[in-house]
Amino acid sequence: AAAGYTAIELAATASAASASVCRALRATGIGVVSLCPVYSLERDCAHADRKRRNAARDSIRASLELADTLGANVVVVVPTFRVDEEADREAELGRTAETIAAAVEGLPDTGPTVALEALNRYETHLVRTLGDAEKLRVAIDSPRVSVMADVFHMNIEEDNPASALHDVAHSLTHVHLAED
């Protein structure tokens, strides 16, 4: 707050809604703009193992509920952190779309938005550009799902970051800035 921030992004953990965190937010006047679930190999939207996909679905759903409680508008979703791709990319994208669609199924059209984050090649193999994220968003086909841009990852993966942003401007809902 002393640095002028009015809102922050929190890790979507059980402690994020703890009484002490909520008191600290109220005391400083800082809001929560977004949540980022803690992803792991056990929670993977694209994995062939249904148990891992279900764990990812449940984590996203719980994060959306937590975001609603904290007044956050966005839940950042990274479909997979695996860098090794499977033989069938389209199957992975299909499983990812199903998993995220199931996480938002039955929710009202209003409320926190899932923002699909593209990472770089050193962190994922599946969604690495804003175009990849947009293709996935279209496949999910839900008003609760949007795209986010992270300029750190874009600097590595996008041939033309300005064009990439322009191409997804209609579905862009969140941006992470970075500097070195």
Side-chain angles (χ1 to χ4, degrees):
Y5 290 97
T6 59
I8 59 172
E9 180 172 287
L10 292 177
T13 63
S15 63
S18 70
S20 62
V21 170
C22 290
R23 275 193 307 275
L25 291 169
R26 278 193 305 275
T28 60
I30 291 180
V32 179
V33 70
S34 57
L35 294 177
C36 188
V38 180
Y39 294 99
S40 69
L41 295 177
E42 290 76 37
R43 290 187 295 275
D44 185 329
C45 295
H47 204 279
D49 179 31
R50 180 171 296 283
K51 183 178 176 183
R52 292 179 191 203
R53 291 194 316 274
N54 288 347
R57 176 203 63 210
D58 295 346
S59 175
I60 294 167
R61 183 68 173 235
S63 296
L64 285 165
E65 292 169 1
L66 179 58
D68 198 39
T69 298
L70 292 172
N73 296 324
V74 172
V75 171
V76 176
V77 171
V78 174
T80 181
F81 272 104
R82 287 180 290 115
V83 294
D84 298 322
E85 57 190 276
E86 293 180 6
D88 189 347
R89 177 180 173 78
E90 292 306 312
E92 281 192 279
L93 287 167
R95 289 191 298 264
T96 300
E98 283 179 18
T99 300
I100 296 170
V104 300
E105 185 177 352
L107 294 175
D109 288 349
T110 59
T113 301
V114 166
L116 302 172
E117 181 177 11
L119 299 182
N120 66 69
R121 68 193 77 182
Y122 306 108
E123 298 179 51
T124 192
H125 70 281
L126 194 61
V127 177
R128 297 195 314 214
T129 66
L130 295 182
D132 291 342
E134 176 64 9
K135 180 180 176 184
L136 179 58
R137 184 197 68 78
V138 168
I140 296 166
D141 190 29
S142 168
R144 293 292 290 266
V145 179
S146 61
V147 173
M148 73 160 284
D150 185 314
V151 297
F152 172 81
H153 300 294
M154 290 175 66
N155 183 53
I156 297 169
E157 295 299 332
E158 300 289 355
D159 291 332
N160 186 329
S163 291
L165 285 167
H166 180 267
D167 292 346
V168 300
H170 62 281
S171 58
L172 189 65
T173 192
H174 195 63
V175 177
H176 281 171
L177 300 176
E179 68 172 308
D180 54 9

